């Protein structure tokens, strides 16, 4: 609504009446100032927005702030952020929106050039409100290239020593779990060169799904959930026809309700094997001292209800029920309040 006034004619001919606002400006060349005239200045005032940027790894504290325009394009925003951070390549920045009512970043980042303007980055459709916070990450490769890859968080359970190493693995879209196995074998130390690997998903501290090497990664796995990989023990290859591979979970009682914790695992139980023999093998697996292991209790768990076992019980006899919905609904439970002595190390060189 900023219209030029003809200074050579009267107010009435300029249609100026009581209450109108007159603005003036000094004469200047158009390339001398960012907002050289009244209309461009008020457009700037109308659209200016101070945005607080936070490093995604530190989502609770502001890192820096920039005054931008709501009409700034995606490229404008990442370029201004890159300039502030002293980066040569703005395409190595990845932005994530803020959720005000949760005070945390969204799970999904902003894809490369998928949002046209800053106003769209700050507008949240549900609920319909504006934010003034964006999160940023500095990538090691350009975002368009990264979006053509699938990024997986992999927890590799080493056989020796008994520990977990975390890796970030990138593979082209359309890759299979067999491709992931080949890539992972080049990054980890195996107990033997011909070791076979098992891939599985853990949900709520229970084994939820085992993946086949032929399955495609992007069609099956949620990249936000770590993928667990372990060597298949040699003892499983000599399993008899009536032996059984069961799921084992760690739990404790909280007001008579089961609370699962820790990392579940697979365990081969022989036909006719008593609990006393199984306890010996599990104590050896976790290297638990005798005085500590005496406090552990063992139970057959189905539908979150433990049925405690005695040393003389033949364990596989409890796993013959036919009314169990799926293999993850029955497991061997270890009740104890102390975590196993398996260490979890972050392999930062894999990022």
């Amino acid at each position: 609504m900023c219209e030029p006034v003809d200074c050579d004619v009267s107010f009435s001919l300029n249609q100026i009446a009581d209450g109108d606002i007159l603005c003036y400006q000094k004469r200047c060349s158009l390339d001398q100032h960012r907002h050289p005239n009244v209309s461009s200045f008020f457009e700037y005032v109308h659209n200016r927005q101070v945005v607080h940027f936070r490093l995604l790894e530190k989502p609770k504290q502001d890192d820096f702030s920039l005054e931008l325009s709501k009409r700034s394009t995606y490229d404008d925003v990442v370029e201004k952020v890159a300039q502030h951070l002293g980066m040569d390549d703005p395409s190595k920045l990845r932005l994530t929106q803020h959720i005000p009512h949760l005070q945390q970043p969204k799970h999904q980042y902003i894809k490369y050039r998928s949002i046209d303007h800053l106003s769209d980055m700050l507008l949240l459709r549900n609920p319909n409100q504006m934010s003034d916070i964006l999160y940023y990450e500095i990538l090691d490769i350009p975002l368009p290239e990264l979006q053509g890859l699938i990024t997986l968080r992999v927890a590799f359970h080493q056989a020796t020593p008994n520990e977990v190493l975390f890796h970030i693995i990138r593979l082209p879209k359309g890759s299979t779990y067999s491709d992931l196995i080949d890539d992972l074998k080049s990054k980890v130390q195996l107990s033997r060169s011909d070791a076979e690997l098992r891939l599985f998903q853990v949900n709520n501290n229970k084994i939820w799904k085992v993946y086949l090497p032929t399955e495609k990664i992007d069609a099956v796995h949620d990249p936000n959930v770590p993928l667990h990989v372990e060597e298949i023990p040699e003892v499983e290859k000599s399993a008899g026809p009536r032996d059984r591979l069961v799921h084992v979970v760690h739990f404790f009682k909280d007001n008579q309700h089961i609370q699962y914790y820790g990392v579940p695992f697979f365990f081969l139980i022989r036909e006719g094997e008593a609990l006393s023999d199984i306890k010996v093998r599990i104590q050896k697996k976790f290297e638990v001292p005798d005085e500590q292991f005496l406090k552990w209790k063992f139970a057959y768990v189905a539908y979150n209800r433990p049925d405690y076992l005695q040393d003389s019980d033949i364990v596989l006899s409890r796993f013959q029920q036919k009314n169990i919905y799926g293999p993850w609904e029955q497991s061997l439970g270890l009740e104890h309040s102390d975590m196993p002595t398996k260490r979890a190390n972050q392999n930062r060189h894999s990022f």
Side-chain angles (χ1 to χ4, degrees):
M1 297 297 291
C2 298
E3 299 176 357
V5 173
D6 187 346
C7 298
D8 296 327
V9 300
S10 65
F11 286 163
S12 60
L13 290 177
N14 275 295
Q15 297 183 338
I16 295 176
D18 291 343
D20 283 342
I21 299 173
L22 290 176
C23 303
Y24 67 91
Q25 66 186 62
K26 295 182 179 180
R27 294 186 183 275
C28 64
S29 60
L30 295 180
D31 58 353
Q32 188 175 353
H33 300 282
R34 291 177 58 193
H35 312 292
N37 53 46
V38 172
S39 59
S40 65
F41 174 75
F42 278 118
E43 182 181 0
Y44 154 73
V45 171
H46 178 70
N47 290 307
R48 65 182 172 183
Q49 173 70 52
V50 175
V51 182
H52 305 280
F53 288 90
R54 298 178 178 180
L55 193 61
L56 190 63
E57 295 177 356
K58 299 178 180 179
K60 297 299 183 183
Q61 60 188 58
D62 291 348
D63 192 15
F64 61 91
S65 300
L66 294 177
E67 186 177 89
L68 304 170
S69 170
K70 295 176 184 177
R71 300 303 300 162
S72 296
T73 65
Y74 174 90
D75 287 346
D76 293 335
V77 174
V78 294
E79 185 175 347
K80 292 289 179 59
V81 175
Q83 288 177 357
H84 179 85
L85 296 173
M87 294 176 56
D88 296 329
D89 188 355
S91 69
K92 289 185 178 180
L93 279 171
R94 183 164 67 179
L95 302 178
T96 301
Q97 292 172 293
H98 177 68
I99 307 176
H101 65 284
L102 297 178
Q103 288 299 306
Q104 65 184 32
K106 278 190 172 183
H107 292 299
Q108 296 295 331
Y109 61 84
I110 299 174
K111 293 184 178 181
Y112 182 72
R113 293 178 175 172
S114 63
I115 297 182
D116 294 331
H117 298 101
L118 176 64
S119 58
D120 301 316
M121 297 181 190
L122 302 178
L123 178 63
L124 302 171
R125 297 178 181 177
N126 189 20
N128 189 11
Q129 61 182 130
M130 292 288 292
S131 168
D132 62 355
I133 296 173
L134 286 175
Y135 302 87
Y136 74 93
E137 302 168 83
I138 300 177
L139 308 173
D140 58 343
I141 62 175
L143 182 55
E145 181 181 341
L146 182 62
Q147 288 181 180
L149 303 173
I150 294 177
T151 302
L152 294 173
R153 297 162 56 205
V154 178
F156 178 67
H157 300 248
Q158 282 190 305
T160 306
N162 192 26
E163 65 180 5
V164 180
L165 296 177
F166 287 87
H167 294 268
I168 298 295
I169 292 182
R170 293 169 179 157
L171 294 170
K173 291 184 177 179
S175 298
T176 64
Y177 285 100
S178 179
D179 298 323
L180 183 144
I181 290 174
D182 292 339
D183 188 281
L184 184 64
K185 282 184 175 180
S186 67
K187 295 178 170 64
V188 300
Q189 182 178 356
L190 301 175
S191 63
R192 57 190 187 281
S193 59
D194 61 342
E196 297 181 22
L197 300 182
R198 175 164 46 223
L199 301 88
F200 59 98
Q201 178 185 343
V202 173
N203 188 16
N204 294 326
N205 305 102
K206 298 170 67 178
I207 295 171
W208 191 251
K209 179 177 175 59
V210 180
Y211 295 104
L212 299 175
T214 55
E215 291 182 278
K216 290 188 179 298
I217 295 173
D218 50 345
V220 180
H221 186 67
D222 180 357
N224 296 312
V225 179
L227 177 69
H228 292 259
V229 182
E230 66 178 7
E231 289 189 34
I232 297 177
E234 283 291 305
V235 66
E236 291 185 20
K237 297 181 180 180
S238 60
R242 296 184 181 274
D243 297 342
R244 184 164 178 175
L245 196 66
V246 303
H247 297 179
V248 186
V249 295
H250 304 275
F251 75 94
F252 62 90
K253 284 283 196 66
D254 182 18
N255 295 326
Q256 300 305 311
H257 295 289
I258 279 188
Q259 297 291 335
Y260 298 102
Y261 73 106
V263 181
F265 59 96
F266 294 90
F267 196 77
L268 182 69
I269 298 180
R270 302 290 188 182
E271 179 188 11
E273 191 172 24
L275 177 63
S276 57
D277 298 321
I278 292 173
K279 289 169 68 174
V280 172
R281 293 198 284 137
I282 287 183
Q283 183 179 8
K284 182 179 179 181
K285 174 180 175 67
F286 291 111
E287 302 174 356
V288 184
D290 290 342
E291 63 275 10
Q292 183 177 321
F293 192 70
L294 287 173
K295 302 176 183 178
W296 289 29
K297 296 180 181 179
F298 290 72
Y300 167 77
V301 180
Y303 298 114
N304 298 324
R305 292 192 296 270
D307 182 8
Y308 291 94
L309 301 171
Q310 303 298 320
D311 284 352
S312 59
D313 288 341
I314 305 302
V315 176
L316 277 191
S317 64
R318 302 295 182 95
F319 287 84
Q320 306 303 318
Q321 299 183 36
K322 303 298 183 183
N323 60 343
I324 299 298
Y325 176 74
W328 55 83
E329 290 295 347
Q330 53 180 340
S331 56
L332 177 64
L334 312 181
E335 182 182 3
H336 58 106
S337 58
D338 52 328
M339 282 293 293
T341 57
K342 177 177 286 191
R343 300 181 300 276
N345 293 335
Q346 188 83 6
N347 188 349
R348 298 191 180 276
H349 298 290
S350 301
F351 282 80

Short mmCIF file of all heavy atoms in Angstrom, two decimals, residues 279 288-298 308 334-338:
data_model
loop_
_atom_site.label_atom_id
_atom_site.label_comp_id
_atom_site.label_asym_id
_atom_site.label_seq_id
_atom_site.Cartn_x
_atom_site.Cartn_y
_atom_site.Cartn_z
N LYS A 279 21.69 -72.47 33.15
CA LYS A 279 22.23 -71.41 34.00
C LYS A 279 23.75 -71.36 33.95
O LYS A 279 24.35 -70.28 33.96
CB LYS A 279 21.74 -71.61 35.45
CG LYS A 279 20.26 -71.32 35.63
CD LYS A 279 19.74 -71.77 36.98
CE LYS A 279 20.30 -70.97 38.11
NZ LYS A 279 19.66 -71.34 39.41
N VAL A 288 29.31 -63.47 35.05
CA VAL A 288 28.74 -62.93 36.28
C VAL A 288 29.33 -63.67 37.47
O VAL A 288 29.35 -64.91 37.49
CB VAL A 288 27.20 -63.08 36.28
CG1 VAL A 288 26.60 -62.43 37.52
CG2 VAL A 288 26.60 -62.47 35.02
N PRO A 289 29.82 -62.95 38.48
CA PRO A 289 30.35 -63.62 39.68
C PRO A 289 29.29 -64.46 40.37
O PRO A 289 28.09 -64.16 40.30
CB PRO A 289 30.79 -62.45 40.56
CG PRO A 289 30.97 -61.29 39.63
CD PRO A 289 29.97 -61.50 38.53
N ASP A 290 29.72 -65.51 41.10
CA ASP A 290 28.79 -66.45 41.74
C ASP A 290 27.84 -65.75 42.70
O ASP A 290 26.62 -66.00 42.69
CB ASP A 290 29.58 -67.53 42.49
CG ASP A 290 30.30 -68.48 41.54
OD1 ASP A 290 29.93 -68.51 40.35
OD2 ASP A 290 31.24 -69.17 41.98
N GLU A 291 28.38 -64.88 43.57
CA GLU A 291 27.53 -64.25 44.57
C GLU A 291 26.47 -63.36 43.94
O GLU A 291 25.37 -63.18 44.46
CB GLU A 291 28.37 -63.44 45.57
CG GLU A 291 29.14 -62.26 44.98
CD GLU A 291 30.49 -62.66 44.39
OE1 GLU A 291 30.74 -63.88 44.26
OE2 GLU A 291 31.28 -61.75 44.06
N GLN A 292 26.78 -62.80 42.79
CA GLN A 292 25.81 -61.96 42.08
C GLN A 292 24.81 -62.83 41.32
O GLN A 292 23.61 -62.55 41.30
CB GLN A 292 26.55 -61.04 41.12
CG GLN A 292 25.67 -60.07 40.36
CD GLN A 292 26.49 -59.13 39.48
OE1 GLN A 292 27.57 -58.67 39.87
NE2 GLN A 292 26.00 -58.85 38.29
N PHE A 293 25.30 -63.90 40.72
CA PHE A 293 24.44 -64.75 39.89
C PHE A 293 23.42 -65.51 40.74
O PHE A 293 22.34 -65.86 40.25
CB PHE A 293 25.30 -65.75 39.11
CG PHE A 293 24.56 -66.47 38.01
CD1 PHE A 293 24.14 -65.80 36.87
CD2 PHE A 293 24.26 -67.81 38.14
CE1 PHE A 293 23.46 -66.46 35.86
CE2 PHE A 293 23.56 -68.49 37.14
CZ PHE A 293 23.17 -67.80 36.00
N LEU A 294 23.72 -65.74 42.00
CA LEU A 294 22.77 -66.43 42.88
C LEU A 294 21.46 -65.66 43.04
O LEU A 294 20.43 -66.24 43.38
CB LEU A 294 23.41 -66.67 44.25
CG LEU A 294 24.50 -67.75 44.31
CD1 LEU A 294 25.16 -67.77 45.68
CD2 LEU A 294 23.90 -69.13 43.99
N LYS A 295 21.51 -64.35 42.80
CA LYS A 295 20.31 -63.52 42.96
C LYS A 295 19.42 -63.55 41.71
O LYS A 295 18.29 -63.06 41.74
CB LYS A 295 20.71 -62.08 43.27
CG LYS A 295 21.56 -61.93 44.51
CD LYS A 295 22.02 -60.48 44.70
CE LYS A 295 22.93 -60.32 45.89
NZ LYS A 295 23.41 -58.92 46.05
N TRP A 296 19.93 -64.07 40.60
CA TRP A 296 19.16 -64.10 39.36
C TRP A 296 18.06 -65.15 39.45
O TRP A 296 18.26 -66.24 39.99
CB TRP A 296 20.07 -64.40 38.17
CG TRP A 296 21.00 -63.29 37.79
CD1 TRP A 296 21.54 -62.35 38.61
CD2 TRP A 296 21.52 -63.03 36.48
NE1 TRP A 296 22.36 -61.50 37.91
CE2 TRP A 296 22.37 -61.89 36.59
CE3 TRP A 296 21.36 -63.61 35.24
CZ2 TRP A 296 23.04 -61.35 35.51
CZ3 TRP A 296 22.04 -63.08 34.16
CH2 TRP A 296 22.87 -61.96 34.28
N LYS A 297 16.90 -64.82 38.88
CA LYS A 297 15.79 -65.77 38.78
C LYS A 297 15.48 -66.01 37.31
O LYS A 297 15.64 -65.11 36.48
CB LYS A 297 14.55 -65.23 39.50
CG LYS A 297 14.72 -65.05 40.99
CD LYS A 297 13.43 -64.51 41.62
CE LYS A 297 13.61 -64.30 43.12
NZ LYS A 297 12.36 -63.76 43.74
N PHE A 298 15.02 -67.21 37.01
CA PHE A 298 14.73 -67.59 35.63
C PHE A 298 13.25 -67.93 35.52
O PHE A 298 12.67 -68.56 36.40
CB PHE A 298 15.58 -68.79 35.21
CG PHE A 298 17.04 -68.46 35.05
CD1 PHE A 298 17.85 -68.20 36.15
CD2 PHE A 298 17.61 -68.38 33.78
CE1 PHE A 298 19.18 -67.88 36.01
CE2 PHE A 298 18.95 -68.06 33.63
CZ PHE A 298 19.74 -67.81 34.74
N TYR A 308 7.95 -68.88 36.98
CA TYR A 308 9.31 -69.13 37.45
C TYR A 308 9.68 -70.60 37.35
O TYR A 308 8.84 -71.50 37.56
CB TYR A 308 9.48 -68.61 38.88
CG TYR A 308 9.44 -67.11 38.95
CD1 TYR A 308 8.26 -66.43 39.23
CD2 TYR A 308 10.58 -66.35 38.70
CE1 TYR A 308 8.21 -65.05 39.28
CE2 TYR A 308 10.56 -64.96 38.74
CZ TYR A 308 9.37 -64.32 39.02
OH TYR A 308 9.32 -62.95 39.06
N LEU A 334 15.22 -63.46 32.36
CA LEU A 334 16.22 -63.39 33.42
C LEU A 334 15.86 -62.21 34.32
O LEU A 334 15.94 -61.06 33.90
CB LEU A 334 17.62 -63.18 32.82
CG LEU A 334 18.04 -64.09 31.66
CD1 LEU A 334 19.47 -63.76 31.22
CD2 LEU A 334 17.92 -65.55 32.03
N GLU A 335 15.42 -62.51 35.53
CA GLU A 335 15.04 -61.44 36.45
C GLU A 335 16.23 -61.06 37.32
O GLU A 335 16.73 -61.88 38.10
CB GLU A 335 13.87 -61.88 37.33
CG GLU A 335 13.41 -60.75 38.27
CD GLU A 335 12.29 -61.18 39.20
OE1 GLU A 335 11.90 -62.37 39.16
OE2 GLU A 335 11.82 -60.32 39.97
N HIS A 336 16.69 -59.85 37.17
CA HIS A 336 17.79 -59.33 37.97
C HIS A 336 17.80 -57.82 37.80
O HIS A 336 17.29 -57.27 36.83
CB HIS A 336 19.13 -59.95 37.56
CG HIS A 336 19.49 -59.73 36.12
ND1 HIS A 336 20.44 -58.84 35.71
CD2 HIS A 336 18.99 -60.30 34.98
CE1 HIS A 336 20.54 -58.87 34.38
NE2 HIS A 336 19.67 -59.74 33.92
N SER A 337 18.40 -57.11 38.74
CA SER A 337 18.41 -55.65 38.71
C SER A 337 19.72 -55.08 38.20
O SER A 337 19.84 -53.87 38.03
CB SER A 337 18.13 -55.09 40.12
OG SER A 337 19.11 -55.58 41.03
N ASP A 338 20.71 -55.94 37.97
CA ASP A 338 22.01 -55.47 37.49
C ASP A 338 22.16 -55.84 36.02
O ASP A 338 21.80 -56.94 35.61
CB ASP A 338 23.15 -56.08 38.31
CG ASP A 338 23.04 -57.59 38.40
OD1 ASP A 338 21.90 -58.09 38.41
OD2 ASP A 338 24.08 -58.27 38.44
#
